[in-house]
């Protein structure tokens, strides 16, 4: 089979995944969420600024200013790279060296 | 004849190593769009997509061989590896597709306007977090090969280059 045929098979497999995803995620789910969310209050009322207002019921969330609600994975810069590299290192250490240890002990035959 | 085969295997191994190294570094950089900036994040991911396809094409024979005998007589480690790779393929497809759906640079450049959908954004973040774990497992299962190939193509050439001037100097002095 030539390279083009192989690429076509990969594309078909990806299309299958995307098709499943589109069937699983309703198209209007996000729109509904966007419609239903409260308006952002980016400035503080005088009462809130003075600290006399009950903050628990307040819609003012200055920490969200300029950001979308609902969590944003785009937070973090190079710290994110270090975090992900650390996660990968821990997994490698646990799995690769764990497997080697099990093999040495002959605890799991098929390893 | 045997030398030619060995040289071919060596070249293939080197190609695999270079491709995998590029994929690994690109993936880590792509997981932090705030560090690189949105345009670099998107173009890097497009490059990553091409490199993943190249990676699959380079390992096509293994994919076909294991697919044929998945339910037959095959080592359990290979079977687990195959299942993990299917999961990784699904995850990377989700990351790429949701990334295209929330694209701010690449897709608008093509003159396309996709409907805004916050589900894609949260799914993109979730799939990329799952991807970190799956790629970690993928690396762990191939750790022996990674160490062996790194020694051969990365560490040994550096060590050789560092030792070369000293050896040359000693020869000149004699």
């Amino acid at each position: 089979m030539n390279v083009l045929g192989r690429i076509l098979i990969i594309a078909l497999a990806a299309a299958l995944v995307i098709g499943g995803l589109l069937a699983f995620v309703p198209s209007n789910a996000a729109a509904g969420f966007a419609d239903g969310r409260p308006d952002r209050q980016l400035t503080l009322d005088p009462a809130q600024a003075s600290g006399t207002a009950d903050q628990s019921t307040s819609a003012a969330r200055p920490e969200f200013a300029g950001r979308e609600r609902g969590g944003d994975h785009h937070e973090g810069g190079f710290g994110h790279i270090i975090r992900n590299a650390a996660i990968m290192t821990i997994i490698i250490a646990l799995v690769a060296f764990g497997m080697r240890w099990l093999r040495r002990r002959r605890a799991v035959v098929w390893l | 004849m045997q030398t030619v085969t060995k040289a071919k295997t060596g070249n293939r191994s080197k190609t695999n190593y270079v491709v995998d190294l590029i994929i690994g570094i690109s993936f880590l950089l792509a997981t932090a769009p705030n560090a690189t900036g949105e345009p670099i994040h998107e173009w890097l991911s497009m490059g990553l997509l091409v490199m993943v396809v190249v990676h699959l094409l380079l390992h096509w024979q293994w994919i076909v061989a294991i697919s044929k005998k998945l339910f037959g007589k095959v080592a359990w480690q290979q079977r687990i590896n195959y299942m993990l790779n299917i999961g990784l393929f699904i995850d990377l497809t989700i990351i790429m597709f949701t990334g295209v759906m929330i694209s701010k640079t690449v897709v608008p450049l093509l003159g396309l306007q996709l409907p805004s959908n916050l589900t894609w954004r949260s799914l993109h973040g979730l799939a990329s977090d799952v991807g970190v774990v799956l790629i970690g497992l993928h690396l762990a299962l191939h750790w022996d090969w990674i160490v062996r190939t790194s020694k051969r193509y990365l560490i040994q050439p550096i060590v050789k280059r560092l030792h070369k001037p000293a050896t040359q100097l000693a020869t000149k002095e004699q």
Side-chain angles (χ1 to χ4, degrees):
Chain A
M1 197 188 293
N2 60 12
V3 177
L4 213 65
R6 291 172 185 180
I7 293 172
L8 195 71
I9 291 173
I10 295 168
L12 280 173
L16 205 71
V17 175
I18 292 166
L21 191 71
L22 286 171
F24 183 71
V25 177
S27 58
N28 60 349
F33 170 70
D35 286 347
R37 78 179 174 187
D39 289 333
R40 266 183 229 146
Q41 183 191 338
L42 300 178
T43 51
L44 295 170
D45 293 333
Q48 289 168 338
S50 63
T52 52
D54 180 8
Q55 293 293 326
S56 62
T57 55
S58 169
R61 298 292 299 273
E63 70 271 26
F64 281 122
R67 276 196 218 157
E68 282 169 294
R69 276 191 183 180
D72 189 350
H73 81 287
H74 288 183
E75 284 172 1
F78 280 107
H80 220 75
I81 298 174
I82 294 163
R83 186 203 77 163
N84 289 337
I87 292 170
M88 284 182 182
T89 309
I90 291 166
I91 292 168
I92 290 166
L94 286 173
V95 178
F97 296 105
M99 266 166 60
R100 199 176 285 179
W101 182 73
L102 285 172
R103 236 182 259 146
R104 210 171 290 155
R105 283 193 60 197
R106 295 178 192 278
V108 183
V109 179
W110 51 266
L111 278 176
Chain B
M1 187 72 181
Q2 210 173 11
T3 323
V4 176
T5 321
K6 257 188 182 177
K8 267 188 179 177
T9 317
N11 283 343
R12 187 64 177 267
S13 191
K14 197 175 184 177
T15 311
N16 281 339
Y17 185 70
V18 172
V19 169
D20 294 353
L21 202 66
I22 293 170
I23 290 174
I25 294 168
S26 305
F27 181 79
L28 272 181
L29 284 174
T31 54
N34 260 9
T36 57
E38 205 80 44
I40 292 176
H41 168 74
E42 289 189 20
W43 285 113
L44 192 70
S45 303
M46 288 295 145
L48 194 62
L49 174 71
V50 175
M51 293 310 274
V52 168
V53 172
V54 171
H55 178 86
L56 289 174
L57 291 173
L58 285 171
H59 294 84
W60 194 258
Q61 282 173 335
W62 180 85
I63 296 168
V64 172
I66 303 295
S67 300
K68 276 180 182 171
K69 53 182 182 182
L70 186 65
F71 299 105
K73 208 176 178 183
V74 65
W76 265 100
Q77 200 181 341
Q78 295 286 330
R79 201 168 282 164
I80 289 172
N81 196 8
Y82 187 83
M83 293 300 181
L84 178 77
N85 289 343
I86 287 177
L88 197 54
F89 178 79
I90 292 170
D91 189 67
L92 286 177
T93 307
I94 293 172
I95 294 173
M96 292 295 171
F97 177 71
T98 51
V100 166
M101 293 305 281
I102 59 170
S103 168
K104 287 174 191 165
T105 309
V106 177
V107 174
L109 198 77
L110 298 170
L112 295 167
Q113 189 88 42
L114 295 167
S116 86
N117 191 329
L118 286 172
T119 311
W120 298 132
R121 177 169 284 277
S122 49
L123 210 56
H124 187 68
L126 183 73
S128 90
D129 284 343
V130 172
V132 171
V133 176
L134 290 179
I135 289 178
L137 286 169
H138 186 77
L139 292 177
L141 286 179
H142 295 88
W143 191 244
D144 289 339
W145 179 84
I146 293 167
V147 171
R148 212 169 45 240
T149 322
S150 297
K151 275 181 189 167
R152 194 171 165 192
Y153 296 118
L154 200 71
I155 297 165
Q156 275 179 4
I158 293 170
V159 171
K160 261 186 190 173
R161 195 161 283 185
L162 286 173
H163 278 268
K164 215 175 183 180
T167 323
Q168 277 174 350
L169 205 70
T171 323
K172 270 184 185 175
E173 276 176 6
Q174 278 176 355

